Amino acid sequence: MFKLNLKIALRNLFKNKIYAAINIGGLAIGLTAFVLMLLYINHEESYDTWDSALKNVYQIRERHSFFTPDNKEHLQESNESRVGSLIRHKVPQVIAVTKVDPDWDFRTGYSVRVGNADPITVNRMKDSDSSFFHVFKYRFLQGSESNALIAPKSVVLKQSLAKKIFGEGNVLGKVIKVAVWQGDKGMDLTVTGVVEDPQTPETAGFTAIMRTGNKDKDPVNPTNNNYCQVYARVNEGTDPELLNQTLKRVYTDYKKSTAPLKKIEYKSYFADGKYLQLKAIPLAEVHGNRPFELSWLEKLKPVIAICVFLLLVSIINFVNMATAQSVQRAKEVGVKKVMGAYKQQLIAQFLLECALQSIVALFLSVILIEVLLPSFNTQFHVDLSFWHNPHLFNMLLQLFGLFTLVTLLAGFYPAWILSNYDPASVLKGNYSGSLKGIILRNVLVVFQFIISVTFIIAISVMHLQTSYLNNKDLGFERSNLINIRAGYDQDLADKIKRIPGVQYVATTTQVMGNAFNVPEEIQYNGNKISLNTVTISMDALSALGVKLLKGRVFSREYKQDTINTVVLNEAAAKLIDKNPVGKSYKIADEHKMLNFQIIGVIKDYHNEGFDKEVLPTLYKVTTLGGTSSTNNLIVRLNSDKNAAIIEKIKAEWKHNYPDFLMEYTTLDSAFDKVLENNKRFISMIVLFSIVSVSLSLLGLFALSTFVAKRRTKEIAMRKILGASNIQIVGLLNKTFLVLVIIANLISWPVAYIVVKKWLNGFAYRIDLPLYPFFLATVVSIIIAVLTVSIQARRAALANPVKALKYE
Amino acid sequence: MIQLTNIEKYYANKGVKNYVLRLVTTTINQGEFVSIMGPSGAGKSTLLNIIGMLEEPTYGTYNFLGEDVTSLNERKRIELYRNHIGFVFQAYHLIDEMTVYENIEAPLLYKKVGSSERASRIADLLDRFNIVAKKDLFPNQLSGGQQQLVGIARALAAQPSIILADEPTGNLQSAQAEEIMALFKKLNQEDGITIIQVTHSEKNAQYGNRILHIADGIVKEDVAVIA
Ligand SMILES: Nc1ncnc2c1ncn2[C@@H]1O[C@H](COP(=O)(O)OP(=O)(O)O)[C@@H](O)[C@H]1O
Ligand SMILES: [Mg+2]
């Protein structure tokens, strides 16, 4: 029976080749998107799962206000370094504790030299202590866990890095020189181990773990703090609840006892609603729950929604086609029923047919995935694979689940409709029962078009917003500007300045790609106002090419500019005074008040993503009131031979810093990077929209074919009665047109809400225009009419006599 | 074998009952070959459908093989289809996606007949109906008469005790029709299969041994055919 049903299913597929192809192809595309998403989710879920012993590892998070974007207290991944030894000694459940560097956002890497070879840049080399590999279990290919970091000035390499530096072979005992910044003469570290690259991604990922000795000790002076990440391994079977209670008690005691040493009142830890908190987060939960960023799941939600919609669209095609086709199968059902088939047997038969198509679609989608993965990986900066997936079995299980789900979703309704046919009426030639499916079919078509129209509206709005951002005046000149990743060094700056074609060399803590915000409270006319402070060198504002609105910018001609002058941006000026130039404000410094004079106002310039507003900011050259610095050496070029000039700058650099490779970005690429996430999101939406719209149209095409076929006799009769071809095309279009219009009406508010929400993510955005809505409606109607008309025309042109005779 | 008592069938339309069958009472015995005749719209097909349990009467009782089947649950009805009743249709109603062989095989599959038994029964039927050469063809590759032969072979495959045929020769030319009628007669006489057919042709009716004349839903005449 199964064999016969399978045969019939195959014959049916071949008989309706085009529709089968549309069905299967559409489903394959829907599945592909969905499976890619599953792969991605699996990848994110697989973080920190490379060893079962990791379930006993916790990340320690401390609540404090250092390095926070809003200058308020948060539970953070970086801890004061003393927390490490505190929990090592005071928390009984803890077996091992390690302190390790966090991932720096802005520093791309350290320079590594072997002997006299040219330095290479290596990312994610982290300084830690002797316990790192007691906390995180890795498989040692060379050396051993117990001996590797036993001595200071040692380093353990990942296999991949060892290969990159030394190639194959034994590397134990070899020495690498690691320089951390450009002036660093470097430290010699002896390789004492090589560990295998784990199969799954790691939160505390690294290319090499160094033990320089810095993490072995805490600052001697109790008022000085170092910050680092802290991870702890606990006893098997430790209750996380109890662990956190112990942490809380130990931490409170610690803060109480150290407050006098730090010259801080213990009470002040609780001022303004603040409180003390030290928390152990199971490693498995760390990746999905990073401070200061949306969890990957949150970020992925729109994509998940889109993938689900896409899959739904293709399933809807499937259902529509199958129910439309059921007219043709009615006789079969009737005959089989009088031959003694149970209803369940018929349902099983139709589900089998559906399963056959889904399995083909699934195979196609696996092929598609293999083809698409490389570009998917580059798009999303991941390294996913299907066949070499460490969780292949799991994946196959998910695919099987998906297959079952799709088969049931797509197959059950048609199977149920079909198996319910009343044999008496079917065999009498009275197929009116098949109209039962029509309402559902129409609802599904409407649903498909809602999705498609919403997509069309969304991409046109996104397109408008993107071109708005691309052409937005940034407030500074981004072309011909480069940013070298280095601290300001007067000697090097002077040398670069002398290269012909270099106009300015400067430093600033705030430039697109690397902005460092330092909040400061000023007092102006008795009002306290919080501003962002940016420390710059004399030429920085000129180098950036910002627009001056009032007063002047800094200049060497004015001695005072190195003493107590500041420039405000427009946002800051708005907070202070309409006409602030020439006026002064104070800030409180330990014992006295410091006085600053405002000499100019510049137009706000952008230095972060467009999701954030430009902060009210003051710029100063003077060291009065403290300074800050980051690795931004900005160079303004004013020739058209940038590449040659950059080569010259590199030569000067190499002369000054032979141990460290020069790295730079152009501000153009920094700008692209700011827009990158957005761009990626949009190109994905565009892709999905195209797929979704074409799937819907294919579905509509197939459906209109069936409808035309079902109405062959009616059409023939009308023609004999004198209807013109156009009237007949119109007749067939009418039904579908109504559906498309209903879909448009529903999708307008839906799209409005979705798009509005997306736009709200930008601090700088266009007003939501109306014409994308009309555009989507017009486009959807035109393509729907075209699609249906192709079929309708064929039906209209057919010879009516043939159709009538056939009956 | 079949006992119909006061069978009525009507369709209610806007409160008005449109009677299709009225107080039909008749008995059909094992081994009879009955032809139902009457003008178009008289209710012949409806009567046959009620006998075949494809439709339920609105009123009356129906005994099949001594069992009251007036309103039967689906499972029981399917059992009867599998073991006792074979249908033959005017439009043949072969399954287009199945070959001749598979069409004949299908009821045996539902009946769960073992595969060797199946093969021998089908071979036998193909042989008997002279369609061995056609066994791998699809219905649309056969003439109408050949299709109807397959239809009958399919009805016989499950070895039913009764065959219900609604205008089995309605779409056929007279030569082919005669062949089918002869076949029915042979089945009736040699195999003792009860046959009830609807026909318009007096000539076809002569192949059987009893004629029910129906008009306006009423059995007007019930006559024996004198051979
Ligand atoms: N589902 C139905 N609804 C209403 N009337 C019906 C239905 N099916 C059949 N009829 C009516 O019943 C009468 C008998 O039909 P039928 O038994 O098919 O006649 P025939 O003797 O030609 O086979 C016809 O007048 C037909 O219009
Ligand atoms: Mg009839």
Side-chain angles (χ1 to χ4, degrees), chain A residues 428, chain B residues 11 20 39-46:
Chain A
K428 262 196 226 165
Chain B
Y11 293 99
V20 178
S40 184
K44 307 180 296 290
S45 296
T46 308

Side-chain angles (χ1 to χ4, degrees), chain A residues 316 320 440-449 700 703 739:
Chain A
I316 287 174
N320 272 346
L440 179 97
R441 219 145 64 211
N442 288 348
V443 168
L444 292 181
V445 169
V446 168
F447 185 70
Q448 272 186 325
F449 267 84
L700 192 64
L703 205 53
L739 300 182

